[in-house]
């Protein structure tokens, strides 16, 4: 067996170089000390007459041998010349030990001798290098443990007993203790325990000293366990089985001490028990009771004898530990449980034993697992007793049990998986809840223990991984988390210590998760699990339980299977057939059901209806019978008693009531039991008959309707000859009979998971399972499973913390809750549990009191006095700033708080300032730079210049302003302090950071924030809204615009919502107000800031400006000038970026509207001038739009006519752009593209001419005349522009002729007052006609429709000749027309266009010309063509008229 490692190579002290004088003085000093002790003993002995002289022989007085030996020693000590380490200690110890052993000495003498031995032991004389130290130490222990003395008085006896304890403890604490044998150590402990037991009838001091000594001994012994040799060297030599080791030490070396009388303490090796005089009965402390012989029969005993004489190690520790465990067995037959009315046993003994066991475990620690015998004791006997004492009514015992289990968890949890599950299920979860009958004290102790466990960083993780994720175990983590949450809830009662305690445990778990986040190695969102194909779920294995890469996916998969099995159980309980089909659909059962898979589903799935399972298993269907036999095979009945096996079997389902079903069930059970336990039963039929007999006995004994109960003899007689024709052993049957009588077999087991009591049969089953259970998974400090765990416990946790926070009244409880809230937020964010974070934000916002309807007069002061509300507010905004990425619907609650602070005037001046605020080029009235977050700044804003002058803030403003002589309201010191606290709280919140830092938010969170702002603003209603609502809407819009500008790189994400919100405002507003002003100018500001960065969104942004066009007339009129200025800035800054026709259409529309607005026209024209001057920003995309806008300004009568003239100049000057574009197109483009662009340019030119034509009709003379000249310039300056063939005909028809006709109509139909000096205009118009016609004559004469065109010209000249202005003909025209006509005809003659032709039909132009000319100036033909005859026959004229009609020139003639 293992033993302590001895120090080796220790040299004799005399060999060490040492100063001679020092050595000499040391020898003298030691000799003097021993001499003093001898003197002390002799002095006490002489006081007794017995020791003065014994008898006289002659003249000599002979002394007693004890005195003689002491005197002899006194002579020798000063004669010893050698170093004391070289002197055999037996020489100077023996005389004292003889005194101690002597039964002639009284208590005082024995006490002094014991003191002397103690003093010598504590000198620096005895060490491992001392000669014969082993024999000396053995001698001391033997002498002290067999100490005898005469009792003179009780006080002296107690002194001796205390000194015995003192010496024995010194033996164990000295460095020489390692030479003591296992036997001696056991003897020391046994002796101490006898003293402890005897002290019960003696003084309080002795009791305390004895117990303390026992503790110190146990601590001293077990502190050496880590130093003991490893397990392999601790096993019996040659043994291959732990059973060899368990055989332990022989019967001869058990704890065996018998108190023969009150005065003697002697060891009796042959005795096997310690008979106590106390009322507790027999205390068994024998390890050997459970010992079994080794394979070598009696050969094992000598080896054990040898083992016990070796230096002490594991053997004595096993003996001691077993003895301590056996002290707990005294109460096995006494009632212990939560329902007991009183403590039905003396709690002193178990408390003492538990304390010793706790010390042993604390010091032995992890080393216990290296020694199978010790480990086996812990796993079985100790834990079984702990389970039993865990239900004790004594809080002291329960507390000690919990301490031991905590120590076991810390040191040995990998070996105690199922034991820990049983402890939490059957003890902690039962005692922590009053519904199971536990007292308040029990609940409190159990809850304290649970909280201690929760403070172990990996406890909950390991419970979840090992138990909750194991289909054969209960959901301990889930149950414990629920227990903590429920226990923290104060339901209709004040907050108590229990609630706070549960809260501490809950927050310890949460903070453990939060701390693990920083350690990495976690997947924020585990991949969803799905079973692709069927695999036996009960055979799922992990490749490596110590490697997280292996066990993490394994336990997740196992938990998924467990959850699906639970769902399958629900389906099964409603309809067994559908339940099995569901499991087939989820691949937990095969497509074609097989008996084994169904049996394992029944065996390992919690929550099944046991009645349905019993009916299924008892069914006569072949498949059900096969399932039944497979079900029986899942049990391990190895080495179990029949009644225990039967109990376990029938606990898993309800035994059917029909005899045939019972027959089938018991047949399957018996077959399985006989397979594994063939020691007594001859065959399976014997097992079946005996099982039936036990069921009948059970019914007989525990059915109240059975009056005459079966006796033991009846039972034995009923079972004769059933064992293959032979009788079963009487002892065997008797044991079964008493077991059934004492403990009923429940054939109707409890439904549901419940927290069942730990019965002996269940414990035996647990020990069987523990041998086959999957290895215990040890988690490190990384967040492998925290996502799954937190998803389970987050809801109840938030609710529990919130309720405690709500009921709490102390600052430290507030802080505890806040710490919990922040930990929940951190975990939720890091594991991407957005819903949880939203729930948390919602809960916290309620505590800010900002969402409550204001029922107090001074809400700011109330807020300042409410520390809970202020802490909640700071926490809400801390979460928003730290974990905003993962907030979704929670933004609405946060904004409600912000809006409330805004209404109270508590926000900094510009919360809505944006991060891109580069000195705000265009600050709006009343808005300055955002204030810093210093308190003074906030205070200045909040008190000095409040957002609203009324209410508290206004009064504080009056109070603190210097120019106020007599403030009406004088706040108290308390109010000032409350106000200051409010300001400090708001400063800590850093509310502005939410919006200025919004560019760092994740996309989904940003979108939700924007939606929350839109939601908070409310939907604008037509008509009047309250000022408060409008103020809120304006503030929200400011924030919305701020985050839009801060997130220009993600404008596509926000734009649609922002646009729709602004559109709703614009379209629903009918009167000017701050909201529509903010909406319109915010929209313009967004466009100004974003156009340079988002060219792909340019059209979208510019199209949004069309909203301005939809403004109500009153609203548009109020803001037209400012809008125009903003549009002008937009154009000047971004003209080169606006490339599409769509964008320019919006700009042109906005500018056109301003043409007729007195205040806005200047800014609008300035923008148009910027675009059109020198064609700087004109393009084919915006040309026509700009022409239309310029025409609007030209026709506008707002302001001086000079602006209109300049507008006309802009229009006319644009011809150069058209020519340039045409030239560029020919050079740079492909032929097809160039042709297409040329056609477009021609159309643009026509639109320009059309626009100028309309301006030519203006009432103002200078504008009208200037437009005519500009039109003439445009029509004659087209050399660089390639116009299509039919363009000129269009030009004359649609522009020149129409203009001439319109001017004629105006001149004849309007008064002089409206249109001044129309004569001059008509002159200019006629000149334009002839000039353009003549300039273009070479081209026009080539047209097939030239005749028609020419007749149109002649008809207009004729009309102008006859036109009357104010009722009389115009003199200027009378003079001008002949001259212009003459010039025209001369040019046509010169060019060969107007000549007489003889060909048929070829002279129609000639004849028609003169037909009209003669009506105007008859003399012109003869003057210009003297050679031609002017006379024409009438018949010819008629023919000509027909020709004209046929040539569709009738309209020209009519003109």
């Amino acid at each position: 067996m293992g033993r302590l490692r001895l120090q080796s190579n220790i040299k004799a002290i005399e060999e060490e170089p040492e100063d001679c004088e020092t050595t000499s003085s040391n020898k003298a000093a030691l000799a003097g000390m021993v001499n003093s002790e001898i003197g002390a003993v002799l002095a006490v002995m002489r006081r007794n007459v017995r020791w003065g002289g014994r008898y006289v022989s002659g003249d000599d007085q002979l002394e007693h041998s004890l005195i003689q030996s002491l005197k002899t020693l006194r002579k020798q000590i000063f004669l010893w010349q050698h170093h004391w380490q070289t002197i055999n200690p037996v020489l100077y110890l023996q005389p004292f030990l003889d005194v101690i052993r002597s039964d002639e000495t009284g208590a005082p003498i024995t006490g002094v001798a014991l003191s002397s031995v103690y003093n010598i032991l504590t000198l620096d004389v005895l060490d491992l290098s001392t000669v014969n130290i082993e024999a000396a130490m053995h001698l001391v222990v033997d002498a002290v443990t067999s100490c005898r003395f005469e009792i003179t008085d009780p006080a002296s006896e107690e002194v001796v007993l205390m000194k015995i304890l003192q010496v024995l403890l010194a033996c164990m604490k000295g460095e020489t203790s390692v030479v003591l044998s296992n036997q001696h150590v056991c003897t020391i402990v046994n002796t101490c325990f006898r003293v402890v037991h005897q002290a019960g009838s003696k003084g309080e001091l002795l009791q305390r000293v004895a117990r303390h000594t026992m503790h110190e001994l146990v601590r001293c012994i077990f502190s050496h366990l880590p130093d003991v040799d490893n397990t392999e060297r601790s096993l019996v030599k040659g043994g291959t089985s732990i059973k060899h080791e368990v055989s332990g030490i022989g019967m001869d070396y058990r704890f065996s001490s018998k108190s023969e009388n009150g005065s003697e303490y002697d060891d009796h090796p042959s005795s096997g028990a310690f008979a106590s005089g106390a009322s507790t009965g027999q205390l068994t402390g024998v390890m050997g009771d459970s010992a079994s012989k080794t394979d070598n029969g009696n050969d094992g005993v000598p080896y054990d004898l040898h083992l016990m004489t070796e230096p002490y190690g594991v053997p004595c520790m096993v003996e001691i530990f077993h003895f301590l465990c056996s002290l707990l067995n005294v109460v096995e037959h006494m009632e212990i449980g939560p329902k007991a009315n009183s403590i039905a046993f003396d709690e002193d003994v178990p408390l003492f034993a538990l304390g010793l066991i706790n010390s042993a475990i604390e010091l032995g620690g992890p080393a216990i697992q290296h020694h199978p015998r010790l480990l086996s004791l812990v796993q079985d006997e100790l834990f079984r007793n702990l389970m039993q004492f865990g239900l004790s009514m004594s809080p002291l015992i329960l507390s000690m049990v919990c301490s031991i289990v905590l120590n076991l968890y810390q040191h040995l949890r990998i070996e105690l998986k199922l034991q820990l599950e049983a402890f939490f299920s059957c003890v902690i979860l039962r005692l922590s809840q009053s519904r199971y009958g536990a007292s308040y004290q029990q609940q409190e102790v159990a809850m304290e223990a649970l909280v201690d466990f929760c403070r172990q960083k990996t406890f909950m993780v390991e419970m979840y991984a090992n138990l909750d994720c194991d289909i054969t175990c209960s959901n301990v983590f889930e149950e414990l988390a629920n227990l903590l949450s429920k226990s923290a809830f104060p339901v209709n009662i004040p907050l108590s210590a229990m609630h706070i305690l549960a809260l501490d445990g809950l927050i310890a778990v949460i903070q453990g998760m939060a701390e693990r986040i920083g350690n990495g190695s976690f997947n924020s969102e585990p991949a969803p699990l799905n079973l692709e194909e069927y695999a036996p779920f009960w055979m799922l294995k992990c490749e490596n339980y110590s490697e997280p890469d292996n066990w993490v996916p394994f336990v997740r998969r196992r938990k998924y299977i467990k959850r699906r099995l639970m769902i399958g159980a629900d389906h099964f309980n409603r309809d067994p057939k559908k339940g099995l089909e569901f499991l087939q659909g989820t691949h937990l059962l095969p497509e074609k059901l097989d008996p084994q898979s169904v049996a394992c589903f029944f065996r390992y799935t919690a929550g099944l209806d046991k009645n349905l399972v019993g009916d299924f298993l008892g069914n006569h269907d072949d498949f059900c019978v096969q399932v039944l036999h497979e079900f029986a095979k899942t049990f391990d009945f190895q080495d179990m008693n029949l009644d225990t096996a039967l109990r376990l079997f029938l606990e898993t389902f309800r035994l059917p009531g029909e005899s045939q079903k019972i027959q089938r069930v018991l047949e399957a059970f018996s077959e399985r039991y006989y397979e594994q336990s063939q020691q007594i039963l001859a065959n399976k039929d014997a097992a079946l008959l005996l099982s039936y007999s036990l069921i009948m006995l059970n019914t007989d004994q525990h059915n109240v309707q059975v009056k005459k109960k079966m006796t033991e003899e009846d039972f034995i007689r009923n079972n004769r000859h059933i064992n293959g024709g032979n009788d079963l052993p009487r002892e065997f049957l008797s044991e079964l009979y008493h077991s059934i009588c004492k403990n009923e077999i429940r054939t109707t087991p409890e439904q549901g998971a419940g927290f069942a009591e730990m019965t002996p049969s269940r414990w035996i089953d647990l020990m069987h399972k523990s041998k086959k259970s999957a290895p215990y998974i040890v988690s490190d400090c990384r967040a492998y499973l925290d996502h799954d765990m937190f998803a389970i416990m987050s809801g109840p946790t938030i609710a529990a913390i919130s309720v405690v926070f709500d009921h709490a009244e102390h600052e430290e409880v507030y802080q505890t809750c806040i710490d919990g809230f922040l930990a929940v937020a951190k975990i939720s964010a890091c594991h991407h549990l957005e819903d949880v974070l939203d729930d948390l934000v919602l809960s916290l916002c309620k505590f800010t009191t900002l969402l409550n309807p204001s029922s107090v007069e001074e809400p700011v002061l109330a807020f300042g006095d409410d520390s809970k509300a202020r802490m909640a507010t700071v926490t809400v905004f801390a979460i928003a700033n730290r974990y905003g990425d993962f907030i979704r619907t929670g933004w609405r609650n946060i904004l409600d708080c912000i809006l409330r602070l805004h209404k109270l005037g508590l926000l900094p001046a510009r919360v809505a300032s944006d991060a891109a605020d580069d000195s705000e080029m265009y600050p709006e009235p009343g808005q300055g730079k955002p204030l810093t977050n210093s308190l003074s700044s906030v205070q200045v804003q909040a008190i000095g210049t409040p957002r609203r002058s009324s209410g508290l803030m206004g009064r504080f403003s009056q109070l603190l302003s210097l120019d106020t002589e007599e403030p009406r309201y004088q706040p108290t010191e308390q109010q000032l302090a409350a106000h200051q606290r409010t300001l400090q709280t708001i400063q800590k919140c850093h509310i502005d950071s939410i919006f200025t830092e919004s560019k760092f938010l994740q996309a989904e969170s940003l979108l939700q924030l924007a939606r929350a702002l839109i939601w908070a603003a409310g939907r604008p209603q037509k008509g009047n809204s309250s000022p408060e609502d409008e103020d809120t809407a304006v503030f929200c819009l400011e924030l919305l615009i701020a985050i839009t500008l801060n997130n220009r790189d993600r404008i596509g994400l926000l734009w649609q919502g922002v646009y729709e919100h602004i559109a709703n405002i614009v379209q629903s507003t009918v009167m000017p107000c701050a909201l529509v002003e903010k909406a319109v100018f915010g929209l313009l500001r967004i466009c100004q800031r974003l156009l340079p960065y988002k060219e792909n969104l340019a059209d979208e942004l510019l199209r949004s400006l069309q909203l301005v066009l939809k403004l109500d007339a009153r609203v548009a009129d109020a803001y037209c000038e400012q809008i125009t200025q903003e549009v002008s800035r937009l154009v000047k800054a971004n003209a080169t970026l606006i490339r599409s026709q769509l964008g320019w259409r919006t700009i042109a529309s906005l500018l056109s509207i301003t043409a007729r607005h007195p205040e806005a026209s200047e800014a609008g024209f300035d923008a148009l001038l910027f675009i059109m001057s020198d064609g700087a920003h004109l393009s084919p995309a915006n040309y026509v739009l700009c022409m239309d806008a310029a025409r609007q300004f030209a026709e506008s009568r707002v302001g001086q006519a000079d602006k209109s003239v300049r507008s006309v100049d802009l229009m006319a000057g644009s011809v150069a752009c058209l020519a340039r574009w045409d030239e560029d197109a020919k050079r740079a483009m492909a032929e097809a593209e160039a042709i297409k662009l040329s056609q477009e340019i021609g159309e643009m030119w026509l639109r320009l001419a059309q626009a100028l034509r309309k301006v030519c009709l203006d009432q103002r003379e200078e504008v009208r005349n200037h437009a005519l000249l500009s039109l003439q310039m445009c029509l004659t300056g087209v050399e660089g522009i390639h116009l299509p063939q039919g363009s000129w005909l269009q030009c004359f028809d649609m522009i020149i002729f129409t203009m001439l006709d319109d001017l004629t109509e105006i001149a004849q139909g309007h008064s002089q007052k409206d249109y001044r000096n129309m004569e001059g205009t008509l002159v200019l118009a006629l000149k334009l006609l002839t000039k353009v016609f003549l300039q273009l004559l070479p081209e026009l004469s080539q047209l097939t429709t030239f005749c028609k065109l020419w007749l149109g010209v002649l008809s207009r000249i004729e009309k102008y000749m006859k036109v009357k202005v104010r009722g009389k003909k115009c003199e200027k025209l009378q003079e001008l027309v002949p001259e212009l006509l003459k010039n025209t005809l001369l040019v046509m003659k010169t060019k060969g266009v107007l000549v007489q032709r003889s060909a048929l039909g070829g002279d129609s132009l000639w004849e028609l010309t003169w037909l009209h000319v003669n009506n105007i100036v008859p003399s012109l033909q003869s003057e210009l063509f003297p050679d031609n005859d002017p006379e024409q026959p009438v018949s010819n004229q008629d023919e000509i008229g027909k020709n004209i009609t046929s040539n569709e020139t009738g309209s020209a003639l009519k003109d």
Side-chain angles (χ1 to χ4, degrees), residues 942-946 948-971 976:
I943 299 180
T945 56
R948 300 159 69 185
S949 61
S950 61
L952 172 75
M953 312 309 295
R955 291 200 290 278
F956 269 95
S957 172
Q958 292 171 358
L959 170 70
L960 299 177
S961 58
L962 298 175
D963 57 350
T964 303
E965 296 175 3
E966 294 182 2
R968 290 174 294 173
Y969 174 72
Q970 182 68 38
L976 282 169

Side-chain angles (χ1 to χ4, degrees), residues 636-706:
D636 179 13
F637 297 139
Q638 193 79 36
D639 300 325
M640 260 188 216
N641 287 341
L642 182 65
D643 66 309
T644 302
L646 192 57
R647 290 177 200 279
L648 291 174
F649 189 66
L650 295 180
E651 273 185 357
T652 55
F653 62 93
R654 182 182 182 277
L655 189 64
E658 299 175 30
S659 59
Q660 291 179 337
K661 290 186 176 182
I662 295 174
Q663 169 84 14
R664 281 189 287 272
V665 169
L666 291 181
E667 279 178 359
F669 164 76
S670 303
E671 185 178 325
R672 177 61 174 170
Y673 183 78
Y674 178 70
E675 280 179 16
Q676 295 185 302
S677 299
Q678 300 181 5
Q679 292 88 345
I680 296 176
L681 298 173
N683 51 45
K684 63 182 181 182
D685 291 336
L688 175 61
L689 290 170
L690 190 54
S691 300
Y692 250 118
S693 185
L694 288 177
I695 294 292
M696 292 171 65
L697 174 64
N698 188 67
T699 305
D700 175 89
Q701 292 294 320
H702 300 287
N703 190 328
V704 293
Q705 295 178 351
V706 178

Side-chain angles (χ1 to χ4, degrees), residues 1055-1066:
W1055 178 246
Q1056 189 62 33
V1058 174
Y1059 172 76
E1060 288 175 2
H1061 181 57
I1062 293 176
N1064 286 333
I1065 295 172
V1066 167

Side-chain angles (χ1 to χ4, degrees), residues 921-1055:
M921 294 186 292
Y922 329 114
E924 295 176 25
Q927 287 189 342
K929 295 292 289 178
L931 293 174
T932 64
N933 281 331
S934 68
L935 174 62
S936 58
S937 300
V938 180
Q939 186 177 353
V940 167
Q941 190 277 330
I943 299 180
T945 56
R947 195 180 287 271
R948 300 159 69 185
S949 61
S950 61
L952 172 75
M953 312 309 295
R955 291 200 290 278
F956 269 95
S957 172
Q958 292 171 358
L959 170 70
L960 299 177
S961 58
L962 298 175
D963 57 350
T964 303
E965 296 175 3
E966 294 182 2
R968 290 174 294 173
Y969 174 72
Q970 182 68 38
T972 64
E973 287 291 326
Q974 289 82 359
Q975 289 174 326
L976 282 169
H979 187 262
Q980 187 72 4
R981 287 193 295 270
T982 298
L983 294 177
Q984 290 173 344
T985 300
I986 303 307
Q987 177 208 8
K988 290 177 187 174
C989 290
H990 302 293
I991 296 172
D992 53 335
S993 299
I994 295 173
F995 305 99
T996 56
E997 302 299 316
S998 62
K999 57 179 172 290
F1000 301 115
L1001 284 178
Q1002 288 185 2
E1004 183 61 26
S1005 178
L1006 177 64
L1007 188 58
Q1008 292 293 341
L1009 174 57
R1011 288 174 179 168
L1013 281 166
I1014 294 167
W1015 170 82
R1019 189 167 184 84
Q1021 303 292 328
K1022 290 197 175 183
N1024 295 327
S1025 59
S1026 69
E1028 189 171 298
D1029 289 344
E1030 184 181 353
D1031 185 46
T1032 297
V1034 169
F1035 181 66
C1036 289
L1037 185 58
E1038 285 180 353
L1039 296 177
L1040 186 63
I1041 291 168
I1043 65 168
T1044 304
L1045 293 174
N1046 282 333
N1047 290 274
R1048 65 190 183 198
D1049 294 329
R1050 297 187 285 181
I1051 185 63
L1053 186 70
L1054 301 172
W1055 178 246

Side-chain angles (χ1 to χ4, degrees), residues 521-539:
S521 295
F522 70 92
N523 185 1
S524 59
E525 294 184 72
L529 289 165
N530 197 12
L531 300 179
E532 300 293 337
E533 57 184 17
Y534 167 72
F537 60 83
W538 63 93
M539 296 176 67

Side-chain angles (χ1 to χ4, degrees), residues 20 50 106 214 288 295 377 395 400 410 436 471 491 504 721 784 789 819 904 1064 1103 1145 1174 1257 1314 1342 1353 1408 1436:
C20 188
R50 179 193 304 179
M214 190 74 179
D295 294 340
L377 282 172
M400 183 57 72
Q410 290 173 329
Y436 291 104
I471 60 171
V491 182
D504 286 342
H721 311 306
Y784 298 115
M789 293 166 58
D819 292 341
L904 295 174
N1064 286 333
R1103 187 192 292 119
R1145 187 183 304 284
D1174 303 322
L1257 309 180
D1314 294 332
Q1342 304 301 316
V1353 172
L1408 288 171
N1436 288 350

Side-chain angles (χ1 to χ4, degrees), residues 208-497:
R208 292 181 180 275
V209 171
R211 287 173 181 252
H212 172 74
T213 305
M214 190 74 179
H215 268 104
E216 287 298 305
L217 280 176
V218 170
R219 291 176 64 84
C220 183
I221 293 165
F222 280 88
S223 66
H224 291 298
L225 184 60
D227 301 325
V228 171
D229 294 343
N230 60 27
T231 306
E232 289 75 13
R233 293 174 60 188
S234 299
L235 291 175
V236 175
K237 293 181 181 178
T240 57
S241 162
I242 293 177
K243 188 180 288 187
H244 291 180
E245 186 198 352
V246 174
S247 65
I249 56 180
M251 292 289 287
D252 294 338
Y253 297 101
R254 291 174 290 183
F255 271 96
S256 49
S257 52
K258 185 174 181 180
S259 175
E260 296 181 343
N261 55 55
S263 65
E264 294 187 7
Y265 290 82
D266 196 4
D267 203 36
H268 291 265
S270 61
S271 175
F274 170 62
S276 166
S279 62
T280 54
Q282 193 77 6
L283 280 176
T284 308
V286 184
M287 183 69 182
D289 288 349
S290 60
S292 60
K293 287 187 178 182
T294 62
D295 294 340
N296 295 327
N298 294 329
D299 294 340
V301 175
Y303 186 81
D304 286 342
L305 288 169
H306 170 68
L307 198 63
M308 291 305 289
T309 57
E310 286 189 355
Y312 84 92
V314 173
C316 71
M317 296 182 195
V318 171
E319 265 315 286
I320 294 166
F321 198 82
H322 186 202
F323 170 65
L324 297 178
C325 291
S326 69
L327 290 177
L328 301 175
N329 293 336
V330 70
V331 291
E332 270 190 359
H333 303 293
M334 298 182 183
E335 291 185 13
I336 297 180
K339 297 181 182 177
N341 294 325
S342 63
I343 301 176
F345 62 96
D346 181 7
E347 70 177 16
D348 195 45
V349 174
L351 255 183
F352 177 59
L354 289 169
L356 295 175
I357 290 169
N358 193 38
S359 295
I361 291 168
E362 284 175 345
L363 291 159
I368 293 174
Q369 65 188 317
H370 302 310
H371 305 287
R373 265 181 80 182
L374 269 177
L375 182 60
S376 177
L377 282 172
V378 171
Q379 290 173 322
D380 192 353
E381 187 173 357
L382 172 61
F383 234 108
R384 185 178 72 246
N385 285 318
L386 292 177
M387 295 289 292
Q388 190 176 11
F389 279 97
L391 298 177
S392 163
M393 286 296 291
S394 165
L396 291 174
I397 289 179
L398 176 57
S399 179
M400 183 57 72
V401 166
C402 293
S403 297
I404 292 172
V405 176
L406 180 60
N407 283 325
L408 289 172
Y409 168 79
Q410 290 173 329
H411 300 310
L412 301 172
R413 60 182 180 272
I414 61 173
E415 306 290 349
L416 299 171
K417 174 179 169 180
L418 298 185
Q419 286 88 341
L420 287 169
E421 178 198 8
F423 179 76
F424 286 109
S425 297
C426 303
V427 177
I428 297 295
L429 286 167
R430 284 179 67 88
L431 295 184
S432 300
Q433 303 173 74
S434 57
R435 59 177 172 161
Y436 291 104
S439 67
Y440 181 81
Q441 284 184 320
Q442 283 178 302
Q443 292 177 52
E444 192 170 29
V445 173
M447 186 58 69
E448 285 173 351
L450 177 54
V451 173
D452 285 339
F453 276 99
C454 291
R455 291 183 177 128
Q456 314 306 309
K457 298 300 182 186
T458 62
F459 168 70
M460 282 296 205
V461 187
E462 291 178 357
M463 290 300 103
Y464 180 76
N466 289 288
L467 303 178
D468 289 55
C469 295
D470 189 332
I471 60 171
T472 63
C473 299
S474 55
N475 291 332
V476 170
F477 160 75
E478 205 164 328
E479 296 289 353
L480 292 178
N482 287 335
L483 171 65
L484 288 170
S485 301
K486 290 175 184 174
S487 300
F489 263 85
V491 182
N492 301 324
I493 55 174
L495 202 62
S496 68

